[in-house]
Amino acid sequence: MQNVNPLVQQSQPITWQRMALTAAGVAGAVVVIDGFLNRETRDGLSTAEQAYLHETFKYTGGGLVLTALAARSMFKSGVAFRIMAANPWVVLGVSLVGSIGTMMGTFYTPPEKTVQKHLFWLGFNACQAVTLSPLFLFSPAILSRAALYTVGIVGSLSYVGATARNDKFLNLGGPLLAGVTVVALASLAPMALPLGVRSLAVTEALSLYGGLAVFGGFVLYDTQKILHHARLVQQGLMKPDAMNEAIGLELDMINILVPSGLVQILALQQNKKK
């Protein structure tokens, strides 16, 4: 028998002082980002835009809460350990098929079919929960900090996108897709190519920090897309569908948090301090 190191990452507990400093940092970041990206802001959102944005964020928050609770339950029941013991390519394929299938089912189900649409939406969140359940192997302090930072980042960027005078962030769609491709290749390169230590460090940094920047850009893009759709709904050119809008924001937040996001960055920082 050999002694092995535990998989759980250790970290310092979160204190009220640290939370206050984090909140102050987030508030300062909102001011700085808004001043840098929005030199001119709009006068205010219309009632229709506000209502559509609020409903979208309700579904986003509800989906994330359901995903977190289901992932925690799966971790306690041992699902996370069985996932880690299985073939990673099989797990990746099944999770992709399940997530994409339920997401497409949600997208293509009209809002009038309320029950069917909610079932697909619940299935999508369940697939996300299965994929994210191994995260609870990390220290609760690291997960809590990462979640807090994610909420701060998404909240500040959503505010920037919502208060921009024009739809300039809607032009980011093409560059962001290219960025996702680069980040994905950087993540898969160590699995497919024999890389040296320096090359591995470069691809890891590109995957972590590049992914954070790209999905932060997607928050700006998706926020303005929601407002654009709200105006089309107001004009009678499309049907309101906050659930579809929420899936985009939910994926943005999950990708900022994991897999190449704040959880990994905070875990690496914690390891360097040891």
Side-chain angles (χ1 to χ4, degrees):
M1 299 292 292
Q2 294 180 345
N3 293 326
V4 295
N5 294 325
L7 293 174
V8 178
Q9 299 286 338
Q10 300 297 326
S11 179
Q12 298 178 353
I14 293 179
T15 62
W16 286 108
Q17 183 180 6
R18 181 179 295 181
M19 291 182 67
L21 290 174
T22 301
V26 170
V30 171
V31 175
V32 172
I33 293 173
D34 189 52
F36 180 74
L37 295 178
N38 283 345
R39 299 182 185 275
E40 295 182 355
T41 58
R42 69 175 76 214
D43 296 331
L45 300 178
S46 67
T47 304
E49 289 174 330
Q50 289 181 5
Y52 199 58
L53 194 62
H54 289 166
E55 187 166 356
T56 298
F57 272 103
K58 285 180 184 178
Y59 273 108
T60 303
L64 291 171
V65 169
L66 289 174
T67 298
L69 292 176
R72 180 63 178 171
S73 177
M74 291 175 185
F75 174 76
K76 287 185 175 181
S77 64
V79 172
F81 296 97
R82 290 194 288 271
I83 290 174
M84 295 180 66
N87 188 313
W89 292 106
V90 174
V91 173
L92 178 63
V94 172
S95 63
L96 282 176
V97 170
S99 297
I100 294 174
T102 51
M103 182 174 63
M104 290 296 102
T106 306
F107 283 164
Y108 289 105
T109 300
E112 295 81 11
K113 297 182 178 180
T114 307
V115 175
Q116 179 179 331
K117 195 171 185 68
H118 277 81
L119 287 176
F120 275 121
W121 180 71
L122 290 173
F124 170 77
N125 287 287
C127 291
Q128 298 305 306
V130 172
T131 306
L132 298 177
S133 59
L135 275 180
F136 287 94
L137 291 168
F138 285 93
S139 167
I142 289 179
L143 291 180
S144 300
R145 287 170 59 195
L148 185 62
Y149 295 162
T150 300
V151 171
I153 290 171
V154 173
S156 61
L157 291 176
S158 296
Y159 173 78
V160 171
T163 56
R165 180 171 290 277
N166 52 42
D167 294 335
K168 57 186 177 182
F169 298 121
L170 284 177
N171 299 325
L172 293 177
L176 288 174
L177 289 176
V180 168
T181 302
V182 173
V183 171
L185 291 175
S187 302
L188 296 175
M191 301 173 64
L193 300 174
L195 300 177
V197 176
R198 289 188 177 181
S199 298
L200 285 173
V202 171
T203 56
E204 182 180 44
L206 183 59
S207 175
L208 290 176
Y209 298 99
L212 192 61
V214 167
F215 288 104
F218 267 113
V219 174
L220 291 170
Y221 172 80
D222 286 333
T223 301
Q224 289 211 324
K225 185 179 70 172
I226 292 167
L227 296 177
H228 177 66
H229 288 171
R231 292 190 289 272
L232 294 180
V233 169
Q234 193 174 14
Q235 296 169 11
L237 300 177
M238 67 173 289
K239 296 179 181 179
D241 199 337
M243 199 178 299
N244 285 5
E245 313 285 0
I247 286 180
L249 280 177
E250 188 175 342
L251 288 174
D252 294 339
M253 294 186 73
I254 289 175
N255 282 287
I256 288 174
L257 185 68
V258 288
S260 55
L262 289 174
V263 171
Q264 295 291 340
I265 292 172
L266 291 175
L268 289 173
Q269 289 178 349
Q270 185 65 29
N271 289 334
K272 289 179 181 179
K273 292 178 181 179
K274 293 182 180 181

